[in-house]
Amino acid sequence: MIKKEVIIGIVTGFAANFLGLLLAVYIFGNGEGFSTTINQAMAEGFFSKLVSIGAILNLVAFFIFIKKKQDYRARGVLLATILVAVFTFLLKFW
């Protein structure tokens, strides 16, 4: 059975990744809207790179949980990062 703390970490990991994706789109989006940039990224084949850049914020969440000695939450963030990596891999090579 998965602990509640791990689920909190997974949700935090996905939220940090989405926030990182928003930040990456804002930085690399040429001033266009979110959906326009995502559609353009998918059409041009660099969406997986944006998702990977977005995962950098998971490092921040992971180390905050480690510093606070919340190991199960850090484990959840790590699991979310692995799931995003698998998703990115499948998106890139499918």
Side-chain angles (χ1 to χ4, degrees), residues 17-18 20-21 24 38 46-56 84-85 87-88 91:
N17 197 3
F18 183 72
L21 177 64
I38 294 297
F46 65 90
F47 178 72
S48 61
K49 292 180 175 106
L50 282 177
V51 173
S52 298
I53 290 171
I56 291 175
V84 167
F87 170 74
T88 305
L91 202 66

Side-chain angles (χ1 to χ4, degrees), residues 29-63:
N30 298 329
E32 298 175 2
F34 179 75
S35 61
T36 305
T37 304
I38 294 297
N39 289 334
Q40 182 181 7
M42 292 181 99
E44 295 179 14
F46 65 90
F47 178 72
S48 61
K49 292 180 175 106
L50 282 177
V51 173
S52 298
I53 290 171
I56 291 175
L57 283 184
N58 285 359
L59 281 172
V60 175
F62 179 78
F63 284 114

Side-chain angles (χ1 to χ4, degrees):
M1 183 164 175
I2 298 178
K3 289 191 171 218
K4 177 183 157 187
E5 296 295 313
V6 175
I7 292 175
I8 291 171
I10 290 171
V11 170
T12 303
F14 284 134
N17 197 3
F18 183 72
L19 186 63
L21 177 64
L22 285 175
L23 195 62
V25 166
Y26 178 73
I27 291 171
F28 299 115
N30 298 329
E32 298 175 2
F34 179 75
S35 61
T36 305
T37 304
I38 294 297
N39 289 334
Q40 182 181 7
M42 292 181 99
E44 295 179 14
F46 65 90
F47 178 72
S48 61
K49 292 180 175 106
L50 282 177
V51 173
S52 298
I53 290 171
I56 291 175
L57 283 184
N58 285 359
L59 281 172
V60 175
F62 179 78
F63 284 114
I64 286 173
F65 287 144
I66 290 293
K67 185 162 179 78
K68 290 183 172 183
K69 300 199 185 307
Q70 296 174 337
D71 294 338
Y72 284 105
R73 288 185 183 191
R75 194 177 294 181
V77 171
L78 184 61
L79 184 59
T81 305
I82 291 169
L83 290 173
V84 167
V86 169
F87 170 74
T88 305
F89 179 78
L90 291 175
L91 202 66
K92 180 79 174 168
F93 294 109
W94 196 309

